[in-house]
């Protein structure tokens, strides 16, 4: 059965495009992306989604920097509930979700550019370089009320080289993000994810 998703973005939108590509190529044939919403009016991802034929708009989250204000929250929850979405996928969405948003769908997923629980929050690739880790990667996880704390679905690793910059590491991780996110979404929409506390089992 087709599942309906809203994708939330704040910027470039490359993960969004990877998900769109997976839908169009049939890898995610049972997913309908019903809306793309950005909390940033200048996010390049808005035009990219429109160019792919999707309904993509800026919706104001309110004046707060990292969260939603009351009006903004009402706007988001209203749109999500009205759309009948089953899922929300965060694709570079730079705002902490309120529980009211999380509770308005069956599940919310996020992708983070580090091997959680290391390097939560902003500038994860810079944190990894500065810490001196030799391996990093990306994590797709369920979103709970915390920041980058929900149960982990999949992680993909990359080496960190001595001469890496934040940019070169980010690029290497991004290539893995574009594989990890469609895979995690596929398992979710096929009902193949079983959550036991923090542990997510993937039924093959
Ligand atoms: C990605 O690195 C993602 O892991 C992080 O924000 C970045 C978004 O990039 N949450 P894009 O907008 O998907 O290109």
């Amino acid at each position: 059965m087709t599942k309906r998703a809203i994708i939330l973005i704040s910027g470039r939108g490359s993960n969004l495009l990877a998900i769109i590509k997976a839908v169009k190529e049939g890898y995610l044939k049972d997913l309908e992306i019903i809306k793309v919403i950005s909390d940033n009016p200048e996010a390049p991802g808005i035009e990219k989604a429109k160019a792919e034929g999707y309904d993509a708009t800026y919706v104001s989250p309110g004046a707060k920097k990292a969260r939603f204000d009351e009006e903004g929250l009402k706007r988001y929850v209203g749109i999500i509930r009205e759309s009948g979405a089953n899922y929300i996928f965060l694709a570079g969405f730079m705002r902490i979700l309120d529980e009211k948003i999380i509770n308005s769908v069956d599940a919310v997923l996020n992708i983070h550019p580090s091997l959680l629980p290391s390097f939560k929050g902003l500038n994860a690739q810079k944190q990894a370089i500065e810490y001196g880790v030799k391996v990093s990667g990306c994590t797709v996880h369920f979103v709970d009320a915390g920041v980058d704390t929900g149960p982990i679905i999949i992680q993909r690793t990359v080496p960190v080289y001595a001469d890496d910059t934040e940019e070169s590491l980010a690029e290497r991780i991004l290539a893995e993000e574009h594989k990890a996110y469609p895979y995690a979404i596929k398992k979710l929409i096929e009902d193949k994810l079983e959550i036991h506390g923090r542990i997510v089992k993937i039924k093959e």
Side-chain angles (χ1 to χ4, degrees):
M1 211 184 69
T2 301
K3 298 286 172 64
R4 296 157 64 82
I6 290 185
I7 301 187
L8 300 185
I9 62 166
S10 300
R12 178 178 58 187
S14 72
N15 278 288
L16 164 72
L17 286 184
I19 299 167
I20 288 175
K21 184 164 178 268
V23 169
K24 292 193 170 177
E25 288 178 352
Y27 179 71
L28 294 176
K29 62 177 170 36
D30 291 328
L31 179 68
E32 186 190 346
I33 300 168
I34 48 181
K35 256 179 206 308
V36 176
I37 300 176
S38 171
D39 65 346
N40 166 15
E42 277 149 29
I46 299 176
E47 290 312 315
K48 291 179 188 170
K50 283 185 182 165
E52 293 288 338
Y54 289 93
D55 168 358
T57 44
Y58 160 66
V59 177
S60 169
K64 288 193 183 169
K65 203 163 178 260
R67 293 182 181 270
F68 293 83
D69 72 12
E70 211 175 304
E71 287 305 307
L73 189 59
K74 272 193 203 150
R75 275 191 286 274
Y76 273 72
V77 171
I79 293 171
I80 294 160
R81 287 198 184 282
E82 202 173 302
S83 73
N86 303 101
Y87 303 121
I88 294 173
F89 302 138
L90 307 182
F93 189 66
M94 306 298 285
R95 199 165 290 272
I96 298 167
L97 280 203
D98 187 281
E99 283 201 19
K100 285 191 180 132
I101 294 183
I102 299 173
N103 294 335
S104 64
V105 288
D106 297 343
V108 182
L109 300 192
N110 181 42
I111 186 147
H112 184 75
S114 76
L115 298 176
L116 290 172
S118 292
F119 315 129
K120 295 186 175 107
L122 296 176
N123 307 318
Q125 303 92 335
K126 183 162 180 266
Q127 293 184 54
I129 297 259
E130 286 174 358
Y131 200 89
V133 293
K134 305 300 182 202
V135 176
S136 190
C138 64
T139 304
V140 183
H141 62 94
F142 285 101
V143 173
D144 61 12
V147 177
D148 303 327
T149 51
I152 291 170
I153 300 168
I154 181 180
Q155 297 184 299
R156 291 181 66 94
T157 59
V158 302
V160 181
Y161 300 121
D163 60 353
D164 261 329
T165 60
E166 185 185 342
E167 290 71 29
S168 62
L169 178 60
E171 194 183 327
R172 193 173 310 122
I173 293 174
L174 196 65
E176 300 306 314
E177 294 185 35
H178 296 163
K179 297 176 200 157
Y181 216 170
Y183 173 82
I185 291 171
K186 186 174 169 68
K187 296 299 164 191
L188 176 74
I189 64 179
E190 289 176 351
D191 258 334
K192 290 199 171 147
L193 300 181
E194 261 179 31
I195 311 179
H196 306 271
R198 282 213 55 83
I199 311 302
V200 178
K201 282 193 182 159
I202 303 182
K203 296 183 276 180
E204 291 299 341

